[in-house]
């Protein structure tokens, strides 16, 4: 017999304190969506299935008991900490769901400056950890745009990539060990070591699982020296995106490790920089940091490469410094964005992909004109590359459109998804990856088989083994049947 929402709440009250089980309608509406359907929150027009409750767990033991109950009673579990997801991964997914919120699990367990690692519970905000590390002359090296509000569990679960990734790597390069809870309540701990060759690296079953395989309760991440006095800020303009991609490639192939390596087309650059005056221009920016000699040598190496591209014209490094210091999005920017959308009915969205150096230029050249030609109400479409590697880079498409007669609650299906479909279609056509760092969520799950190809059975078997009853974040990564 299926449990009603009230049945679920009553059972949960036998597991944890009643005051940490929240089931008022206003809270449940907010918990039924993430930024993928942000207009439902902005306009208060919620239409999604509501979870039975938001459960505020405060220990691994509680998470274990909650997941054991959920698995035994076919109750879908949505894992949440900071709540900054953008791809529908926090949607309920079914009419019998609970949100297990780990934000009360917010202890910084240790900052080990000798072994250069920090261990934290899943609900520790990244900004809080970063501030604590900087007091000891250290940094996490992780700086996504959501840093002021994102939490460590969610960053690991979504395979986050920060703005300084070219130097420090993504979250997958930073995680040393972790503790997780699987469906049914089993707790597993992956011990902290700099490297092991004892079989496959099982950290990668956890990193990026988006709550579809397990609930992350604790993580240990690497730390790095924090030496901002050694930073260099560099910038140039050139004539077209293809030239900019060539510069990025040359820097990466040379083995240089800038902290930031970015390329903006004119449309996206206008939103970022005050110097953008010529529609034929694109902007290339770099920052370097770390050890003084290495940071200086990296900056010098970039200048040497730029000198081989005579079309590149320098811009004031102070502009890059100002831009970089305004990149992160705290609550005040989220509120301002919501107010702007509510008043103007003009919506801004983003979609990020990745590919090798040859394919990324083809994807960019194919996507931009298709969106302009096929999507009604587009007021701006542009893009930038923000995370580069020796063998390729990413593209972060940025676009605005007017709602017109579309009801806010229908914006995702009628306006947003058609644009995502174009981007995904062209990315798959040229062999790229349809997600670079936001996660699949439920938004891009319909294309998971196309993304994985013949490796899809490997992913599917992980789901079957670690979540045999399908109660972990139903519809995320692997779509509902």
């Amino acid at each position: 017999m299926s449990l009603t929402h009230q049945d679920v709440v009553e059972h949960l009250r036998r597991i944890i304190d009643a005051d940490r089980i929240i089931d008022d309608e206003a809270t449940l509406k907010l918990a039924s969506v993430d930024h993928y359907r942000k207009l439902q929150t902005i306009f208060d027009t919620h239409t999604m299935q509501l979870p039975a409750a938001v459960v505020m767990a405060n220990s691994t033991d509680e998470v274990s008991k909650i997941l054991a109950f959920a698995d035994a009673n076919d109750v879908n579990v949505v894992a949440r900490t900071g709540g900054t997801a953008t791809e529908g991964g926090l949607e309920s997914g079914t009419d019998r769901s609970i949100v297990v919120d780990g934000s009360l699990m917010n202890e910084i367990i240790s900052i080990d400056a000798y072994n250069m690692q920090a261990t934290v519970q899943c609900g520790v905000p990244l900004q809080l950890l970063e501030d604590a590390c900087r007091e000891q002359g250290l940094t996490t090296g992780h700086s996504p745009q959501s840093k002021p509000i994102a939490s460590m569990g969610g960053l690991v679960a979504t395979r986050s990539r920060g703005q300084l990734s070219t130097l420090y790597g993504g979250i997958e390069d930073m995680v040393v060990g972790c503790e997780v809870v699987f469906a049914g309540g089993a707790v597993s701990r992956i011990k902290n070591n700099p490297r092991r060759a004892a079989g496959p690296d099982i950290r990668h079953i956890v990193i990026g699982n988006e709550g579809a395989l397990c609930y992350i309760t604790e993580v240990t991440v690497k730390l790095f020296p924090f030496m901002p006095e050694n930073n260099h800020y560099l910038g140039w303009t050139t004539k077209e995106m293809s030239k900019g991609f060539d510069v990025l490639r040359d820097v990466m192939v040379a083995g240089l490790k800038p902290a930031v390596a970015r390329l903006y087309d004119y449309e996206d650059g206008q939103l970022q920089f005050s110097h953008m005056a010529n529609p034929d221009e694109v902007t290339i920016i770099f920052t370097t940091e770390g050890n003084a000699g290495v940071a200086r040598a990296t900056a010098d190496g970039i200048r040497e490469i730029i000198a081989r591209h005579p079309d590149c014209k320098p811009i004031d490094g102070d502009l890059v410094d100002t831009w970089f210091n305004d990149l992160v999005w705290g609550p005040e920017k989220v509120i301002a964005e919501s107010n702007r959308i509510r008043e103007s009915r003009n919506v801004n969205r983003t979609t990020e992909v990745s590919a090798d150096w040859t394919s990324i230029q083809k994807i960019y050249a194919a996507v931009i004109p298709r969106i302009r030609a096929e999507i009604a109400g587009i007021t701006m479409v542009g893009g930038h590359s923000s995370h580069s590697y020796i063998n390729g880079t990413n593209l972060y498409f940025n676009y605005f459109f007017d709602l017109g007669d579309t009801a806010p609650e229908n914006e995702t299906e009628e306006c947003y998804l058609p644009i995502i479909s174009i981007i995904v279609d062209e990315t798959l056509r040229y062999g790229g990856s349809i997600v670079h760092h936001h996660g699949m969520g439920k938004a891009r799950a319909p294309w998971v088989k196309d993304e994985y190809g013949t490796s899809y059975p490997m992913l599917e078997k992980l789901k079957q083994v670690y979540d045999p009853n399908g109660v972990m974040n139903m519809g995320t990564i692997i779509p509902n049947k």
Side-chain angles (χ1 to χ4, degrees), residues 134-189:
R134 289 187 181 187
E135 290 177 1
Q136 300 188 37
L138 303 171
T139 177
T140 62
H142 200 53
S143 186
Q145 217 168 11
S146 59
K147 181 166 67 174
I149 46 183
S151 295
M152 294 302 295
L155 292 167
V156 175
T158 54
R159 207 173 182 86
S160 168
R161 200 84 180 165
Q163 293 155 354
L164 311 176
S165 67
T166 312
L167 177 60
Y168 298 108
I171 199 74
E172 69 272 19
D173 303 302
M174 300 171 179
V175 172
V176 179
C178 56
E179 177 190 77
V180 303
V181 183
F182 287 98
V187 178
S188 293
R189 177 176 286 276

Side-chain angles (χ1 to χ4, degrees), residues 32 50 55 60 64 91 95 125 144 163 215 248 251 408 427 431 439 444:
S32 69
L50 302 185
V55 188
T60 299
S64 174
E91 291 181 2
D95 64 355
Q163 293 155 354
Y215 193 107
L248 288 182
V251 168
T427 300
R444 286 179 252 188

Side-chain angles (χ1 to χ4, degrees), residues 334-379:
V334 174
I335 293 169
E337 178 201 55
S338 298
N339 291 338
R340 186 196 66 78
I341 292 172
R342 195 180 299 111
E343 293 167 6
S344 68
R345 292 177 65 86
N346 181 261
V347 183
N348 55 301
R349 292 289 200 171
T350 62
T351 303
E352 28 61 69
V353 300
S354 64
D356 63 28
W357 291 111
T358 301
S359 300
I360 205 72
Q361 301 198 40
K362 295 176 180 178
I363 293 167
Y364 176 82
V367 166
I368 298 291
R370 276 196 65 186
I371 291 176
R372 286 177 177 154
E374 299 176 27
I375 303 298
I378 283 287
T379 58

